[in-house]
Amino acid sequence: MSNGMTPIVKTITGWVKGFILVFGIYIVLYGHLTPGGGFAGGVIIAMTFVLITLAFGKDEALKRFRIGIASELDSVGALMFLVIALLGIAGGLGGTFFTNFIAKSNPGEPYSLMSAGTILLSNIAIALKVGSSLFLVFILLVMTKVLYREPGEKP
Amino acid sequence: MLEMMGLLLLFMIIAAIVAIETRDILAAIISVTAVGFGVIIAFFYMRAPDVAIVPIVVEVLVLVILIRATLRVGLKTFVGNRDFFGMMVTMAMLFVIFLAAIRAFNDLPTFGEPVITRMMDAPSRLYIANGLKETGAANIVTAVLLDYRAYDTLGEATVLFTSIIGAIAVIRRKARKKPSEPEVGEWEE
């Protein structure tokens, strides 16, 4: 498995992986205008690296997305979402948790990318969180190969 | 549309029965995913692409993870019989749930009809009327998820974060064991 699958799968994966990543980022950024959002886009971003893992083996995927970085991005996404919520109290007009302070203070033009204030930032935070954590779980399941030995049994 | 829904329901029931009854674990996993995709097609028929797009990606990811998990371990078939008493308890519980469901379904609106046609003071009326003006988001589902009901989304993110921590703690490389704990077999990576 460390060498990956056949050359056919490797070539096709090399062609489509960039498109899948861009599509995931599109789903995240335009979540407030079209169907989708942070969760779906984050899973698609994680699927890009899952596809690389399946086609090229885990070493190739870990070269692009190291476990330490995935773990940090996971925490950064969760913290970023909380900070956005707390900024609603600190800099908000109504002063409640999760106040959309950007859209209330200077509303953007409707149907444009910058129209929704904190919704776009929350989508990005959730995408970071979901994408990195799902990739982390998949790569850990791939890496761990477990054999069980009874007490006293020879290895 | 109702005939299509009936066909989908029949397909999902057959797939669920196959998933339970088959002895091959790979066939069981694929049947469970088939049930999930039936639900997704039903969401598309009810014009809810926002709800449908999340199960699509999650189903595919879970299918890949489950196939990897089962094929690597070499676990191919189930063994063992069902015991009679457990079966009877399950059937009794299912019957009670069925009776409760009949009562509950009488209060629901007819299939495919939105709740707001029956509830005059439903909060969704407020969201649809003021959503674009108050949040600036053209997609009303995202406006509800990340603005009006963002607190629920925070809880969902917390659940995901905690479960990932738990999963990593379970499958980490070295188990930590106190010297006083009894000796059991050892796991080797």
Side-chain angles (χ1 to χ4, degrees):
Chain A
M1 192 60 212
S2 57
N3 296 326
M5 294 187 182
T6 59
I8 301 172
V9 180
K10 283 183 178 172
T11 312
I12 300 289
T13 305
W15 287 346
V16 299
K17 63 179 191 244
F19 291 106
I20 299 176
L21 187 62
V22 169
F23 181 64
I25 294 170
Y26 162 78
I27 291 267
V28 172
L29 290 185
Y30 284 80
H32 56 289
L33 301 175
T34 53
F39 197 92
V43 181
I44 293 174
I45 292 171
M47 295 277 277
T48 314
F49 295 98
V50 168
L51 183 64
I52 293 172
T53 314
L54 290 178
F56 295 101
K58 63 173 187 287
D59 299 328
E60 194 72 22
L62 284 177
K63 235 186 282 174
R64 286 150 212 256
F65 201 177
R66 277 186 283 122
I67 285 186
I69 292 180
S71 165
E72 278 159 15
L73 279 183
D74 187 9
S75 312
V76 163
L79 265 182
M80 190 173 152
F81 195 40
L82 259 181
V83 165
I84 290 167
L86 288 174
L87 279 181
I89 299 179
L93 307 169
T96 52
F97 208 53
F98 275 117
T99 307
N100 195 339
F101 59 94
I102 299 177
K104 281 208 166 62
S105 55
N106 49 344
E109 188 188 343
Y111 308 109
S112 71
L113 184 60
M114 294 300 175
S115 64
T118 55
I119 292 181
L120 179 62
L121 294 175
S122 310
N123 264 333
I124 294 172
I126 292 174
L128 282 180
K129 216 213 96 47
V130 170
S132 50
S133 61
L134 286 181
F135 173 71
L136 203 59
V137 162
F138 180 76
I139 204 76
L140 281 176
L141 281 174
V142 167
M143 280 170 65
T144 336
K145 187 167 59 179
V146 182
L147 301 166
Y148 184 70
R149 261 182 284 161
E150 291 294 324
E153 197 178 333
K154 284 275 172 5
Chain B
M1 182 178 139
L2 267 182
E3 297 81 23
M4 193 63 206
M5 281 293 166
L7 277 178
L8 266 178
L9 205 60
L10 194 67
F11 169 72
M12 282 190 274
I13 290 172
I14 292 172
I17 291 174
V18 168
I20 295 172
E21 291 298 327
T22 182
R23 293 267 161 185
D24 187 3
I25 195 162
L26 189 59
I29 291 169
I30 293 173
S31 306
V32 168
T33 315
V35 177
F37 273 99
V39 176
I40 290 164
I41 296 171
F43 280 140
F44 271 121
Y45 264 92
M46 292 193 282
R47 297 172 191 171
D50 260 296
V51 190
I53 200 167
V54 174
I56 289 176
V57 287
V58 172
E59 286 278 347
V60 173
L61 187 65
V62 166
L63 181 68
V64 169
I65 288 180
L66 282 179
I67 287 179
R68 275 299 297 241
T70 49
L71 289 190
R72 288 301 290 253
V73 175
L75 190 64
K76 287 262 167 35
T77 52
F78 294 120
V79 283
N81 299 315
R82 296 190 181 118
D83 77 311
F84 182 74
F85 178 73
M87 195 91 169
M88 281 298 111
V89 171
T90 312
M91 294 307 271
M93 286 301 290
L94 277 179
F95 186 67
V96 172
I97 292 172
F98 179 70
L99 288 183
I102 287 177
R103 287 184 66 97
F105 276 120
N106 280 334
D107 289 340
L108 285 180
T110 46
F111 186 76
E113 189 189 3
V115 183
I116 53 171
T117 54
R118 287 182 43 159
M119 269 179 73
M120 279 305 142
D121 54 348
S124 36
R125 278 180 189 275
L126 203 70
Y127 298 156
I128 292 171
N130 302 333
L132 182 59
K133 201 175 64 202
E134 284 182 357
T135 67
N139 184 359
I140 190 73
V141 178
T142 313
V144 172
L145 275 181
L146 290 175
D147 195 309
Y148 291 113
R149 290 280 177 268
Y151 200 71
D152 292 352
T153 312
L154 180 65
E156 180 197 303
T158 313
V159 167
L160 189 64
F161 192 67
T162 317
S163 58
I164 298 293
I165 290 176
I168 293 171
V170 168
I171 58 180
R172 70 184 160 199
R173 283 174 172 227
K174 283 181 184 154
R176 290 188 195 144
K177 189 166 73 66
K178 288 178 196 151
S180 57
E181 286 177 22
E183 189 66 33
V184 292
E186 55 185 26
W187 296 90
E188 186 190 273
E189 190 198 345

